[in-house]
């Protein structure tokens, strides 16, 4: 029999960005809050110099990431394949421990566009019937730009966002993104310093008529004190950002921005090595009574709670809902059910260029150092004439100086003297042009429970069915041609390229991004969404799921800013309405 802990007002599963935000908001409302994190504790002291400056440990051996033995996903490319478990990290890198992926992320903090949030409405107006694939399942988020804008603004202040404003209250500003939605306030801090890489990209892009702007960054450009009183130091451009904890208190993370303030509150507590296996439901199946987890000693523990917040990584949230029988599982044949529906990802690609006579000094960079342009986002260009919907963020970011991950020409040997010679000849001479593209949701791209594979506790693993579709392959070809035009202007001595074009398939072994979204989509229709517009389960009213799992499809940029804003949006509704009258916040 499971050991039982004293009841709390709210239990939070996962202590990354969403869990930390929910902890602040619910304790502020006076609730007694407990967070459960299945990994180890991670504090700012764990990232003190020189600990994070170890490429082998963090960049290659993935010390800050979940290991497949902890959280394996089985993967197949279509509904007829037999899924096999992921045995080595590759395409995506979920974070492990307190802070989650928010501790090891790159730090690009960019908003979606207003069109991204209402993509189905846009598609209905911009595309003739029959143009898009029949199995495409595009949906609106169910929340608008105007509703989320105050929450973007606050979250960006929490992070100390650095950048250049492009649209301030409807007025286009010089040097920023002219296609962004209107901001109520400018960026909290100025943009990071440019490098030779970014200056070359900026000049070439402008020559072709595009509108580049500095990457919106959560690597702070100046000293910053956020609304919680947390202090961040100015970035020193050490290069250890993506896959690393920040050694300089300069990269926004749950640790640097929220947790030390949250831990001071007497009505907050957290437990590590607490692997939540299911949400427990009352006999009627309509109310959660708490969660069951396995503690560090391998014992099963029941934690009673009045409110359950699923704030772990998107894939784990969906698995918990399925294993807990919260919502109807999605059936791709009948297209009924909602949990596991609308899984999406991001499509990437780029051109690696090598310049014999240019030394880019890769030691001096931050994770978000670079420039991008949004001229190819939905609604800013006519993608219908090219036969696809969606868009891409086109960018060039200064690569880190870490030697093992240094990009070399495809022809370079992978080991021995030839490898060392290629590294010596090309180190510091590399510049990359990249695209980060949107991915739509489809009938057959989905998440469910694997019928064969189980974890050490006997719980079914999550099964991912995913492959690139024709729409994204057309998008990739179009964006590749645009990047080739920029490369023609820059005139590198050598270049290689890689894109997801016609005939290519999803490869779990090659890194793309840790931007897995969907599976518990939000919306206003319970027949196509697992949670309502306030991130509340349609079926179990005291379960809320603020995470990337709520995205009905993925847009062409990094998801963290939207996840943060949605979490504050969800918390506001809980505080203002749900606590006064617990129950469904929207009628079915």
């Amino acid at each position: 029999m499971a050991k039982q802990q004293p009841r709390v007002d709210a239990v939070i599963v996962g202590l990354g960005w969403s869990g930390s935000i929910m902890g602040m908001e619910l304790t502020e409302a006076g609730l007694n809050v407990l967070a459960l994190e299945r990994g180890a504790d991670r504090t700012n002291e764990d990232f003190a110099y020189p600990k994070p400056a170890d490429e082998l440990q963090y960049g290659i051996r993935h010390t800050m990431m979940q290991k497949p033995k902890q959280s394996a996903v089985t993967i197949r490319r279509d509904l007829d394949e037999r899924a096999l478990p992921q045995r080595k990290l590759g395409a995506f890198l979920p974070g492990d421990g307190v802070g989650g992926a928010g501790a090891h992320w790159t730090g690009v903090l960019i908003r979606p566009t207003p069109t991204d949030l209402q993509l189905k409405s846009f598609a209905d107006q911009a595309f003739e019937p029959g143009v898009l694939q029949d199995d495409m399942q595009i949906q609106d988020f169910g929340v608008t730009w105007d509703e989320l804008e105050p929450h973007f603004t606050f979250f960006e202040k929490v992070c100390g966002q650095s950048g250049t404003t492009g649209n301030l209250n409807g007025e286009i500003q010089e040097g920023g993104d002219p296609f962004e939605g209107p901001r109520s306030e400018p960026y909290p801090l100025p943009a990071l310093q440019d490098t030779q890489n970014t200056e070359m990209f900026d000049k070439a892009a402008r020559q072709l008529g595009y509108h580049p702007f500095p990457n919106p960054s959560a690597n702070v450009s100046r000293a910053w004190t956020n609304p919680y009183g947390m202090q961040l130091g100015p970035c020193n451009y050490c290069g250890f950002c993506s896959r690393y904890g920040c050694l300089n208190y300069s990269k926004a993370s749950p640790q640097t921005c929220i947790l030390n303030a949250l831990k001071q509150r007497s009505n907050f507590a957290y437990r590590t090595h607490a692997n939540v296996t299911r949400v427990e439901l009352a006999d009627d199946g309509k109310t959660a009574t708490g969660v069951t987890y396995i503690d560090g000693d391998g014992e099963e523990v029941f934690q009673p709670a009045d409110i359950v917040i699923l704030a772990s990584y998107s894939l784990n949230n969906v698995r918990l809902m399925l294993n807990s029988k919260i919502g109807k599982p999605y059936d791709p044949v009948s297209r009924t059910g909602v949990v596991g529906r609308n899984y999406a990802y991001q499509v990437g690609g780029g051109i690696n260029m090598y310049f014999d006579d240019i030394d880019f000094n890769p030691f001096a960079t931050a994770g978000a150092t670079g420039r991008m342009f949004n001229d190819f986002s939905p609604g800013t260009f006519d993608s219908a004439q090219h036969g696809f919907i969606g868009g891409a963020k086109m960018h060039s970011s200064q690569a880190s100086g870490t030697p093992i991950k240094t990009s070399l020409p495809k022809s370079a040997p992978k080991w021995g003297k030839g490898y060392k010679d290629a590294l010596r000849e090309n180190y510091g001479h590399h510049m990359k042009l990249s695209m980060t593209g949107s991915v739509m949701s489809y009938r057959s791209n989905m998440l469910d429970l694997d019928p064969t594979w189980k974890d050490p506790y006997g719980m079914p693993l999550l099964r991912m069915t995913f492959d690139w579709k024709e729409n994204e392959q057309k998008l990739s070809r179009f964006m590749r041609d645009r990047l080739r035009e920029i490369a023609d202007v820059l005139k590198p001595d050598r270049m290689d390229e890689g894109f997801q074009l016609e005939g290519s398939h999803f490869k779990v072994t090659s890194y793309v991004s840790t931007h897995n979204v969907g599976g518990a989509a939000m919306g206003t229709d319970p027949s196509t969404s697992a949670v309502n517009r306030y991130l509340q389960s349609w079926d179990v009213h005291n379960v809320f799921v603020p995470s990337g799992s709520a995205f009905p499809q993925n847009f062409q940029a990094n998801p963290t800013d939207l996840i943060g804003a949605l979490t504050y949006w969800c918390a506001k509704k809980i505080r203002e309405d749900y606590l006064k009258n617990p129950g469904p916040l929207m009628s079915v």
Side-chain angles (χ1 to χ4, degrees):
M1 179 179 292
K3 180 171 62 177
Q4 182 165 322
Q5 294 285 356
R7 175 177 294 275
V8 294
D9 296 323
V11 62
I12 298 171
V13 181
L15 195 53
W17 275 120
S18 295
S20 300
I21 291 169
M22 273 294 182
M24 290 296 289
E25 291 292 306
L26 297 183
T27 54
E28 182 70 25
L31 273 62
N32 184 26
V33 177
L34 172 69
L36 299 174
E37 168 57 51
R38 69 175 166 188
D41 203 355
R42 294 191 189 279
T43 66
N44 285 318
E45 289 72 22
D46 294 323
F47 308 137
Y49 184 82
K51 295 177 185 178
D54 185 334
E55 184 185 13
L56 183 61
Q57 180 176 350
Y58 292 97
I60 305 301
R61 293 177 176 166
H62 301 140
T63 296
M64 297 183 68
M65 286 71 165
Q66 296 173 17
K67 304 301 184 288
K69 67 179 181 180
Q70 300 170 290
S71 56
V73 176
T74 68
I75 299 171
R76 59 183 182 173
R77 295 182 299 190
D78 62 54
L79 298 172
D80 296 323
E81 279 189 348
R82 178 175 181 262
L84 295 174
Q86 175 191 29
R87 299 188 182 277
K88 184 178 180 181
L89 292 177
F92 45 89
L93 303 171
D96 181 42
V98 171
H104 74 68
W105 68 316
T106 302
V108 176
L109 191 67
I110 184 172
R111 300 182 182 189
T113 68
T115 302
D116 293 328
L117 299 175
Q118 296 178 293
L119 193 64
K120 177 64 164 62
S121 299
F122 165 77
D124 289 344
Q125 294 178 357
F127 290 82
E128 295 292 332
V131 172
L132 300 177
Q133 291 176 235
D134 291 338
D135 63 342
M136 196 177 285
Q137 296 182 160
I138 302 173
Q139 297 173 201
D140 290 344
F141 276 73
V143 62
T144 67
W145 174 271
D146 289 341
E147 289 172 318
L148 284 185
E149 202 284 330
H151 304 295
F152 283 124
T153 298
F154 185 78
F155 182 52
E156 289 158 3
K157 290 179 180 177
V158 169
C159 294
Q161 185 190 45
S162 302
T164 302
T165 303
N167 183 336
L168 185 60
N169 295 313
E171 296 289 331
I172 303 303
Q173 308 293 304
E174 182 67 29
D177 178 11
F179 304 111
E180 70 174 351
R183 295 173 174 269
S184 59
E185 299 182 27
Y187 278 75
L189 291 171
L192 294 170
Q193 294 294 312
D194 278 328
T195 62
Q196 184 166 3
N197 179 312
T198 58
E199 290 178 351
M200 288 171 59
F201 175 76
D202 184 272
K203 182 178 179 180
R206 290 185 188 280
Q207 183 175 325
L208 293 171
Y210 301 130
H211 303 82
F213 57 95
N215 290 348
S217 169
N219 319 126
V220 301
S221 62
R222 304 285 189 277
W224 178 252
T225 301
N226 76 8
Y228 300 134
M230 300 289 286
Q231 297 178 330
L232 285 80
C235 179
N236 67 354
Y237 302 90
C238 74
F240 291 94
C241 285
S242 184
R243 308 188 184 194
Y244 304 85
C246 183
L247 56 82
N248 201 52
Y249 291 79
S250 302
K251 181 174 70 174
S253 67
Q255 282 87 345
T256 55
C257 295
I258 300 177
L259 285 173
N260 279 0
L262 179 57
K263 291 175 186 178
Q264 295 178 30
R265 296 186 172 179
S266 60
N267 55 338
F268 174 78
Y270 69 106
R271 297 180 194 141
T272 57
H273 302 292
N275 186 5
V276 176
T277 55
R278 62 186 177 272
V279 179
E280 304 293 352
L281 304 181
D283 292 339
D284 63 2
K286 297 181 180 180
T287 308
T289 58
V291 301
T292 293
Y293 67 92
I294 308 298
D295 69 14
D297 296 322
E299 292 190 44
E300 191 173 67
V301 181
F302 173 58
Q303 177 59 62
D306 296 329
I307 298 174
V308 175
I309 307 292
L310 300 184
S312 61
Y313 194 67
S314 58
L315 298 176
N316 190 59
N317 287 336
V318 177
R319 183 182 180 221
L320 279 173
M321 293 180 74
L322 290 168
N323 276 323
S324 306
K325 296 180 171 54
I326 298 174
K328 184 178 180 180
Y330 172 63
D331 178 359
V333 177
S334 64
R335 291 197 180 189
T336 59
V338 291
V339 182
R341 188 180 196 270
N342 284 45
Y343 171 70
Y345 196 33
Q346 278 184 333
V347 61
I351 299 175
N352 289 301
M353 304 180 298
Y354 302 90
F355 298 82
D356 292 337
D357 298 327
I358 299 176
D359 186 347
F360 290 102
N361 188 22
F363 283 101
T365 186
T369 299
R371 287 191 172 241
M372 63 176 69
F373 59 82
N374 245 344
D375 296 61
F376 297 117
S377 60
T380 63
F381 75 115
D382 184 9
S383 67
Q385 66 174 309
H386 303 289
F388 66 85
I389 186 171
K393 173 186 73 178
M394 311 290 264
H395 56 105
S396 183
S397 301
Q398 173 71 61
S400 171
T402 53
I404 303 175
K405 299 294 291 184
T406 291
S407 293
L408 298 178
K410 289 182 179 180
S411 60
K414 305 302 181 185
W415 193 250
K417 181 179 184 301
Y419 167 78
K420 294 177 181 178
D421 289 343
L423 183 60
R424 186 182 301 110
E425 292 167 5
N426 291 281
Y427 185 83
H429 299 287
H430 167 256
M431 174 181 175
K432 187 174 184 180
L433 304 175
S434 302
M435 58 151 283
T436 300
S438 58
V439 169
M440 300 300 107
S441 296
Y442 298 88
R443 176 186 67 85
S444 60
N445 282 350
M446 57 169 290
L447 304 171
D448 65 353
L449 295 178
D450 194 285
T452 303
W453 300 92
K454 292 180 170 56
D455 69 11
Y457 311 114
M459 305 295 288
L461 297 182
L462 188 70
R463 180 171 63 178
M464 176 191 297
T465 305
F466 180 80
D467 205 359
W468 306 119
K469 302 294 186 180
E470 180 183 1
N471 182 82
E472 282 65 45
Q473 291 167 343
K474 288 181 177 178
L475 180 151
S476 293
R477 180 171 292 279
F478 176 85
M479 302 303 171
R480 179 205 63 182
D481 293 345
R482 307 289 79 75
L483 290 180
R484 281 179 173 178
E485 292 166 356
I486 298 175
D488 288 342
V489 174
L490 292 169
K491 295 180 172 54
D493 294 293
R494 296 172 302 285
M495 69 181 194
D496 297 320
E497 60 181 43
F499 295 88
Q500 309 300 332
L501 304 177
E502 291 85 344
S504 61
H505 295 283
F506 174 60
K507 296 179 180 178
V508 70
T509 56
S510 301
Y511 186 74
V512 180
S513 78
T514 310
H515 301 161
N516 313 77
V517 301
M522 63 187 295
T524 57
D525 183 352
S527 70
T528 59
S529 57
V531 297
N532 63 28
R533 69 192 297 261
Y534 303 110
L535 291 306
Q536 178 190 45
S537 167
W538 287 105
D539 300 274
V540 183
H541 69 80
N542 61 335
V543 171
F544 295 82
V545 193
S547 90
S549 58
F551 291 21
Q553 60 273 326
N554 211 356
F555 60 100
Q556 64 283 353
N558 310 58
T560 305
D561 209 351
L562 180 53
I563 292 172
L566 285 173
T567 305
Y568 280 110
W569 160 259
C570 172
K572 180 175 185 288
K573 193 66 175 178
I574 294 174
R575 293 180 61 175
E576 293 183 352
D577 293 326
Y578 184 82
L579 295 180
K580 298 174 185 176
N581 185 24
L585 294 169
M586 294 184 67
S587 58
V588 178

